[in-house]
Structure formats: structure tokens, C-alpha cells
Amino acid sequence: MNKDRILVVDDNPKNIQLLGSILSETYEIEIALSGREAIEWVNQEHFELILLDIMMPEINGFEVCKEIRKIKKFDNVPIIFLTAKTDHDSIVMGFETGGQDYITKPFNITELLVRVKTHLELHKTKSALISSNNQLETKVKLRTEELQNKNSQLEYLQNFNNKFICYLGNELKTPITRINTTVTNIKHSAESSKLLSLTNQLEDSIKNLDLISKIATQIMQIGNSETINIKPTLLNQTIESVLLDTNSIWKDNQVELSNTISLTTKINLDKDYIRNSIIGILNTIYDSNSKIKNIDFSSQENEKYTKLNISCYPCSINTANLNTIPNSATLFYNYAELIMKLHNGIFCIKKEVEETTIFEWSFLR
């Protein structure tokens, strides 16, 4: 087993001889008879501990300690001062220059051995902690770099997905428009009621596909403030445009529609986003309630909110457990909630009267 190396620095040969006899059985001892010789030693070799006399010619122990502490590999090596001076100022100076302890002359052998052993053990423990900390820092650094690389890959994939979905949404517009035109032509020239019914169903499916395409594109663009165009808008105009677009669904199913929204009610909103969220909810109502008879559009105003309400009767949607509804409906509900958050508002579904469900968009005034 390798012995710990100790450098003994003292200009008195008798002290050197005494310290050597005390320590050499347990430790490997090197000696320096002056401060300059000690500095030469530490520039070439490594020691686990230094015993350093204070009173030496040319360079005293305080100055030697300062020079040793400038050497990086010795910034944690314990230095114990050997001194006959026990005044307060000398002790303070020893600690301020980088010493860990001091031993007064003449030496007490037991005290000397205990202090040397204690400081060597403390140094080993501290070195082990520093080494462990360095290893941990290296692992953390490597892990951080790994996570940064993965985040970069995820960000790249996310950007790619966003661009692809936006591209897909834009590319779908042309074929959807062409199919819709073809269906309209077939519808106008249909001679049988069965063919007319089939074309109506096809037309509704195309509109739904177009809506989902628009919603997907908008969701991918959310986060870019330029895609949100919130401005004062007549609420009734937005609703009338929705009714015009969905009129065939309600007409074919003999659903009675009523719109009591004031012609002058204005709300700060993005018309396209809100319009799509309303159409999505209406599609959900249509898909989930084959026996629906009445749909009423109304608005309410108070000090905090302007509310758009769509009341449906009869409506079988279970507002207490939306997990029971189809996935397509969940998509439109979540989309409506997201859009209202962008408007600093709230979307909710509630039942106030039995068999009547109210879909509510609340806009902060």
C-alpha cells in the first residue's frame, strides 16, 4: 500500500530530524530547508499534506503558503503551520493565507500524529467528494446534451409535422372544392329522390372533411400571433353565415331553427376560428342526436361577458360524462375550448332544463 506523502518545510535541521523520526514509519517524508526549496518541490511533485514552518529566512511560511495556493493542484492540500508563535495575529494570518491548522513548538508527538492523520483523512474525503461531484457534473452535462439533442430532434419533427399538416390542409382544398362542385352538379341534375339523398349525404361528408382539414391547419398554426385576427365583429352575421353553410342538414331533418341574436351585438373575435368551432359543435349535435327538433341561437350580456348560447332540444348528450361521447365529438369540444382560451373566454356545455342542452361561448367584454 502506498504511503501518503508529506513535505516538511523547516530551516532547522533538528526540527527536520525530529519530525522525520516521528512520521517516517507511517508516511513518506520529503524535506525542504527553505521556502524557495519548498516551492520548487511543489512545482514538481505532489503531496497529500505540508508541514510548514513560519519563521524562515528570505521567505517566511505565510508567503510560501500564498505561493503554494496559487498552484491549482495544491488548492485543497492541507497545510499545517509549525510555529513557536501563539499570538492571535499570527494565528489569524496563518488561516488567511490558506493554512488549515497550526502546531506549536515544541511538538507534542501525540497531538502531531492526531492532527496529521485527521487532516489527511479530511483531505481524502474532500477529494473523493470533489471527484464524485466532477463525475456527477460530467454525467449531468452529458445527459443535458443528450436531452438537448433529443429536444432538437423533437422540435424538428414537430416543425416538420406542422408544416406537413398545413401543407396537407392546403393541398386538400383543391380536390375538396372539385368534388363539391361535382356533387352540386349531380345534385341539381338528380332525377330520383334516392340519388338526391345520396348526394346530400356525400355533400355533408365533404363539408365535414373540409372543416376537419381547416381545424387541423389552424391548430398547427396556433402559437403564431399572426394567425389570430381578433377584431370587433357582428355576432349575428357570423351565425347567419354558419346557418347558411349548414342549412341543408337541418332542412332535410326538419329541425326548427331560431335566431334571436341582436343585429347590433358586436364581439371581439376571430371570425374564422369561432365560425369553425360553432360548425364543429353543430356537426356533433347532428351526429349524436337523430331526434333533435329545435335549435335556438341567442346571446346574453352582463358586466363581464357577452355570451353566445346554442340550445338544443331534445339533446341526449351526457354533460356529466363527456368521455362517453364519440372521439369526433371530443375533437370539436376540445377545439372550441382551445379557441375560447385564445380569446380569453370560456366554452362550456350545460343542462338547465331536462332534455335541453346549452352550448355556451363566453367572451370577456
Side-chain angles (χ1 to χ4, degrees):
M1 181 177 180
N2 293 332
K3 294 181 178 181
D4 292 323
R5 299 187 73 202
I6 298 176
L7 176 63
V8 179
V9 186
D10 198 316
D11 64 329
N12 188 327
K14 289 184 179 180
N15 289 337
I16 291 288
Q17 186 177 8
L18 175 60
L19 289 167
S21 65
I22 295 172
L23 300 171
S24 58
E25 289 187 10
T26 308
Y27 307 105
E28 181 181 339
I29 306 299
E30 299 292 349
I31 62 172
L33 295 174
S34 68
R36 294 192 185 281
E37 188 178 349
I39 293 171
E40 290 177 3
W41 266 112
V42 296
N43 276 309
Q44 298 174 22
E45 302 287 343
H46 185 75
F47 300 94
E48 277 68 46
L49 183 142
I50 299 173
L51 293 171
L52 179 59
D53 186 25
I54 292 178
M55 303 301 294
M56 293 186 296
E58 296 186 17
I59 305 177
N60 65 35
F62 298 137
E63 295 299 323
V64 173
C65 187
K66 287 181 182 179
E67 292 299 316
I68 290 174
R69 289 304 185 211
K70 292 178 183 178
I71 303 171
K72 187 175 182 181
K73 66 179 180 177
F74 280 93
D75 57 358
N76 290 312
V77 171
I79 296 176
I80 301 175
F81 283 111
L82 305 173
T83 180
K85 302 177 70 175
T86 58
D87 61 285
H88 177 75
D89 291 342
S90 295
I91 293 171
V92 171
M93 176 67 74
F95 287 120
E96 287 180 346
T97 55
Q100 270 78 30
D101 205 349
Y102 68 95
I103 298 174
T104 57
K105 299 177 182 179
F107 309 122
N108 178 294
I109 295 175
T110 302
E111 179 186 4
L112 173 66
L113 290 171
V114 169
R115 287 180 183 257
V116 167
K117 181 180 179 182
T118 299
H119 282 288
L120 284 171
E121 289 176 350
L122 287 172
H123 176 57
K124 289 177 182 178
T125 301
K126 187 175 181 180
S127 297
L129 287 173
I130 292 172
S131 176
S132 177
N133 186 59
N134 290 336
Q135 291 177 10
L136 183 60
E137 286 182 355
T138 300
K139 289 180 179 179
V140 169
K141 184 179 179 181
L142 292 173
R143 182 58 177 164
T144 301
E145 290 176 354
E146 182 182 345
L147 289 174
Q148 287 175 342
N149 290 334
K150 288 184 177 179
N151 285 337
S152 296
Q153 292 176 358
L154 289 173
E155 185 177 354
Y156 172 81
L157 289 173
Q158 185 64 45
N159 290 334
F160 176 82
N161 289 341
N162 291 349
K163 290 178 181 178
F164 178 76
I165 291 176
C166 288
Y167 167 80
L168 187 62
N170 291 328
E171 287 299 303
L172 283 172
K173 289 180 182 178
T174 300
I176 287 174
T177 301
R178 289 176 180 172
I179 294 171
N180 205 24
T181 301
T182 303
V183 169
T184 301
N185 291 334
I186 295 173
K187 183 178 178 180
H188 289 161
S189 61
E191 296 181 358
S192 68
S193 59
K194 184 176 181 179
L195 180 58
L196 183 61
S197 175
L198 289 173
T199 53
N200 284 338
Q201 292 177 28
L202 182 57
E203 185 177 42
D204 292 339
S205 297
I206 293 169
K207 287 182 179 179
N208 199 37
L209 177 61
D210 186 35
L211 176 64
I212 292 174
S213 172
K214 289 177 181 177
I215 286 176
T217 301
Q218 287 177 340
I219 289 174
M220 291 301 103
Q221 291 174 338
I222 287 174
N224 179 2
S225 59
E226 295 179 359
T227 64
I228 307 296
N229 184 24
I230 297 177
K231 61 183 180 181
T233 304
L234 288 169
L235 181 58
N236 189 68
Q237 286 186 357
T238 302
I239 297 304
E240 288 298 328
S241 123
V242 168
L243 293 176
L244 182 64
D245 195 57
T246 60
N247 181 60
S248 61
I249 297 175
W250 316 118
K251 185 177 179 181
D252 292 345
N253 289 276
Q254 298 181 337
V255 177
E256 184 177 337
L257 303 175
S258 64
N259 178 11
T260 60
I261 297 173
S262 170
L263 297 176
T264 60
T265 299
K266 277 190 175 182
I267 299 179
N268 288 324
L269 54 81
D270 183 302
K271 185 176 180 180
D272 287 337
Y273 280 88
I274 296 300
R275 184 178 181 278
N276 288 340
S277 71
I278 295 171
I279 293 175
I281 294 300
L282 290 175
N283 283 351
T284 297
I285 295 170
Y286 170 72
D287 292 338
S288 305
N289 301 271
S290 59
K291 297 181 180 180
I292 195 162
K293 297 299 180 184
N294 302 94
I295 298 180
D296 299 322
F297 296 82
S298 62
S299 62
Q300 295 176 321
E301 296 184 65
N302 57 34
E303 293 180 355
K304 293 184 177 181
Y305 291 98
T306 298
K307 298 183 178 182
L308 163 65
N309 292 328
I310 300 180
S311 301
C312 306
Y313 172 83
C315 187
S316 59
I317 293 175
N318 182 5
T319 58
N321 185 11
L322 295 180
N323 292 325
T324 60
I325 64 176
N327 288 334
S328 58
T330 304
L331 167 67
F332 292 123
Y333 290 160
N334 291 340
Y335 176 74
E337 288 178 343
L338 175 62
I339 296 310
M340 288 309 295
K341 284 183 180 180
L342 293 177
H343 286 76
N344 294 319
I346 301 169
F347 171 77
C348 65
I349 309 170
K350 55 189 181 181
K351 277 187 180 291
E352 291 189 349
V353 182
E354 188 177 355
E355 293 190 311
T356 298
T357 300
I358 299 176
F359 301 85
E360 185 176 271
W361 289 255
S362 298
F363 297 86
L364 192 65
R365 298 192 71 180

PDB file of all heavy atoms in Angstrom, residues 52 58 75 120 151 188 200 218 272 284 313 358:
ATOM      1  N   LEU A  52       4.602  23.218   7.533  1.00  0.00           N
ATOM      2  CA  LEU A  52       5.314  24.419   7.083  1.00  0.00           C
ATOM      3  C   LEU A  52       5.672  25.313   8.268  1.00  0.00           C
ATOM      4  O   LEU A  52       4.794  25.802   8.990  1.00  0.00           O
ATOM      5  CB  LEU A  52       4.415  25.181   6.088  1.00  0.00           C
ATOM      6  CG  LEU A  52       4.931  26.483   5.509  1.00  0.00           C
ATOM      7  CD1 LEU A  52       6.240  26.283   4.746  1.00  0.00           C
ATOM      8  CD2 LEU A  52       3.875  27.101   4.579  1.00  0.00           C
ATOM      9  N   GLU A  58      14.565  34.780   4.292  1.00  0.00           N
ATOM     10  CA  GLU A  58      14.220  35.109   2.903  1.00  0.00           C
ATOM     11  C   GLU A  58      12.700  35.122   2.690  1.00  0.00           C
ATOM     12  O   GLU A  58      12.099  36.158   2.460  1.00  0.00           O
ATOM     13  CB  GLU A  58      14.894  34.161   1.905  1.00  0.00           C
ATOM     14  CG  GLU A  58      16.405  34.253   1.899  1.00  0.00           C
ATOM     15  CD  GLU A  58      17.008  33.405   0.809  1.00  0.00           C
ATOM     16  OE1 GLU A  58      16.286  33.002  -0.133  1.00  0.00           O
ATOM     17  OE2 GLU A  58      18.210  33.140   0.889  1.00  0.00           O
ATOM     18  N   ASP A  75      -4.581  23.487  -4.330  1.00  0.00           N
ATOM     19  CA  ASP A  75      -5.557  24.399  -3.716  1.00  0.00           C
ATOM     20  C   ASP A  75      -6.346  23.744  -2.586  1.00  0.00           C
ATOM     21  O   ASP A  75      -6.925  24.433  -1.749  1.00  0.00           O
ATOM     22  CB  ASP A  75      -6.509  24.974  -4.776  1.00  0.00           C
ATOM     23  CG  ASP A  75      -7.235  23.878  -5.548  1.00  0.00           C
ATOM     24  OD1 ASP A  75      -6.983  22.693  -5.287  1.00  0.00           O
ATOM     25  OD2 ASP A  75      -8.044  24.224  -6.434  1.00  0.00           O
ATOM     26  N   LEU A 120      -5.285  14.432   6.890  1.00  0.00           N
ATOM     27  CA  LEU A 120      -5.147  13.536   5.731  1.00  0.00           C
ATOM     28  C   LEU A 120      -6.489  12.871   5.413  1.00  0.00           C
ATOM     29  O   LEU A 120      -6.881  12.761   4.240  1.00  0.00           O
ATOM     30  CB  LEU A 120      -4.074  12.483   5.991  1.00  0.00           C
ATOM     31  CG  LEU A 120      -2.622  12.965   5.884  1.00  0.00           C
ATOM     32  CD1 LEU A 120      -1.669  11.901   6.385  1.00  0.00           C
ATOM     33  CD2 LEU A 120      -2.278  13.356   4.448  1.00  0.00           C
ATOM     34  N   ASN A 151     -34.396  17.042 -27.741  1.00  0.00           N
ATOM     35  CA  ASN A 151     -35.339  18.159 -27.878  1.00  0.00           C
ATOM     36  C   ASN A 151     -35.237  18.790 -29.253  1.00  0.00           C
ATOM     37  O   ASN A 151     -36.239  19.187 -29.851  1.00  0.00           O
ATOM     38  CB  ASN A 151     -35.074  19.207 -26.795  1.00  0.00           C
ATOM     39  CG  ASN A 151     -35.576  18.776 -25.439  1.00  0.00           C
ATOM     40  OD1 ASN A 151     -36.465  17.928 -25.346  1.00  0.00           O
ATOM     41  ND2 ASN A 151     -35.022  19.331 -24.379  1.00  0.00           N
ATOM     42  N   HIS A 188     -78.107  18.836 -58.688  1.00  0.00           N
ATOM     43  CA  HIS A 188     -79.051  19.642 -59.483  1.00  0.00           C
ATOM     44  C   HIS A 188     -79.669  18.862 -60.639  1.00  0.00           C
ATOM     45  O   HIS A 188     -80.765  19.176 -61.104  1.00  0.00           O
ATOM     46  CB  HIS A 188     -78.344  20.883 -60.018  1.00  0.00           C
ATOM     47  CG  HIS A 188     -78.035  21.890 -58.939  1.00  0.00           C
ATOM     48  ND1 HIS A 188     -77.083  22.878 -59.106  1.00  0.00           N
ATOM     49  CD2 HIS A 188     -78.537  22.038 -57.687  1.00  0.00           C
ATOM     50  CE1 HIS A 188     -77.024  23.608 -58.000  1.00  0.00           C
ATOM     51  NE2 HIS A 188     -77.902  23.108 -57.122  1.00  0.00           N
ATOM     52  N   ASN A 200     -76.758  14.392 -51.087  1.00  0.00           N
ATOM     53  CA  ASN A 200     -76.807  15.240 -49.889  1.00  0.00           C
ATOM     54  C   ASN A 200     -75.880  14.692 -48.796  1.00  0.00           C
ATOM     55  O   ASN A 200     -75.166  15.446 -48.126  1.00  0.00           O
ATOM     56  CB  ASN A 200     -78.234  15.334 -49.345  1.00  0.00           C
ATOM     57  CG  ASN A 200     -79.105  16.265 -50.184  1.00  0.00           C
ATOM     58  OD1 ASN A 200     -78.584  17.131 -50.885  1.00  0.00           O
ATOM     59  ND2 ASN A 200     -80.426  16.086 -50.105  1.00  0.00           N
ATOM     60  N   GLN A 218     -55.443  25.046 -38.541  1.00  0.00           N
ATOM     61  CA  GLN A 218     -55.458  26.125 -37.557  1.00  0.00           C
ATOM     62  C   GLN A 218     -54.769  25.718 -36.258  1.00  0.00           C
ATOM     63  O   GLN A 218     -54.037  26.509 -35.662  1.00  0.00           O
ATOM     64  CB  GLN A 218     -56.908  26.547 -37.273  1.00  0.00           C
ATOM     65  CG  GLN A 218     -57.534  27.332 -38.424  1.00  0.00           C
ATOM     66  CD  GLN A 218     -58.991  27.683 -38.166  1.00  0.00           C
ATOM     67  OE1 GLN A 218     -59.658  27.071 -37.343  1.00  0.00           O
ATOM     68  NE2 GLN A 218     -59.489  28.672 -38.888  1.00  0.00           N
ATOM     69  N   ASP A 272     -63.150  33.387 -38.404  1.00  0.00           N
ATOM     70  CA  ASP A 272     -62.924  32.043 -38.947  1.00  0.00           C
ATOM     71  C   ASP A 272     -62.820  30.994 -37.839  1.00  0.00           C
ATOM     72  O   ASP A 272     -63.401  29.902 -37.924  1.00  0.00           O
ATOM     73  CB  ASP A 272     -61.647  32.020 -39.792  1.00  0.00           C
ATOM     74  CG  ASP A 272     -61.829  32.735 -41.121  1.00  0.00           C
ATOM     75  OD1 ASP A 272     -62.993  32.851 -41.565  1.00  0.00           O
ATOM     76  OD2 ASP A 272     -60.829  33.190 -41.697  1.00  0.00           O
ATOM     77  N   THR A 284     -71.514  17.897 -34.255  1.00  0.00           N
ATOM     78  CA  THR A 284     -71.609  16.963 -33.130  1.00  0.00           C
ATOM     79  C   THR A 284     -73.064  16.763 -32.729  1.00  0.00           C
ATOM     80  O   THR A 284     -73.508  15.633 -32.465  1.00  0.00           O
ATOM     81  CB  THR A 284     -70.817  17.517 -31.923  1.00  0.00           C
ATOM     82  OG1 THR A 284     -69.446  17.614 -32.291  1.00  0.00           O
ATOM     83  CG2 THR A 284     -70.949  16.608 -30.719  1.00  0.00           C
ATOM     84  N   TYR A 313     -82.930  20.914 -28.356  1.00  0.00           N
ATOM     85  CA  TYR A 313     -83.977  20.093 -27.723  1.00  0.00           C
ATOM     86  C   TYR A 313     -84.572  19.127 -28.754  1.00  0.00           C
ATOM     87  O   TYR A 313     -84.849  19.533 -29.880  1.00  0.00           O
ATOM     88  CB  TYR A 313     -85.088  20.988 -27.163  1.00  0.00           C
ATOM     89  CG  TYR A 313     -86.267  20.184 -26.671  1.00  0.00           C
ATOM     90  CD1 TYR A 313     -86.264  19.627 -25.398  1.00  0.00           C
ATOM     91  CD2 TYR A 313     -87.377  19.967 -27.506  1.00  0.00           C
ATOM     92  CE1 TYR A 313     -87.353  18.872 -24.964  1.00  0.00           C
ATOM     93  CE2 TYR A 313     -88.448  19.212 -27.071  1.00  0.00           C
ATOM     94  CZ  TYR A 313     -88.423  18.665 -25.797  1.00  0.00           C
ATOM     95  OH  TYR A 313     -89.484  17.902 -25.375  1.00  0.00           O
ATOM     96  N   ILE A 358     -77.326  23.187 -23.496  1.00  0.00           N
ATOM     97  CA  ILE A 358     -76.879  24.518 -23.930  1.00  0.00           C
ATOM     98  C   ILE A 358     -75.369  24.497 -24.133  1.00  0.00           C
ATOM     99  O   ILE A 358     -74.611  24.101 -23.241  1.00  0.00           O
ATOM    100  CB  ILE A 358     -77.255  25.601 -22.894  1.00  0.00           C
ATOM    101  CG1 ILE A 358     -78.775  25.651 -22.717  1.00  0.00           C
ATOM    102  CG2 ILE A 358     -76.717  26.960 -23.321  1.00  0.00           C
ATOM    103  CD1 ILE A 358     -79.223  26.615 -21.637  1.00  0.00           C
TER     104      ILE A 358
END
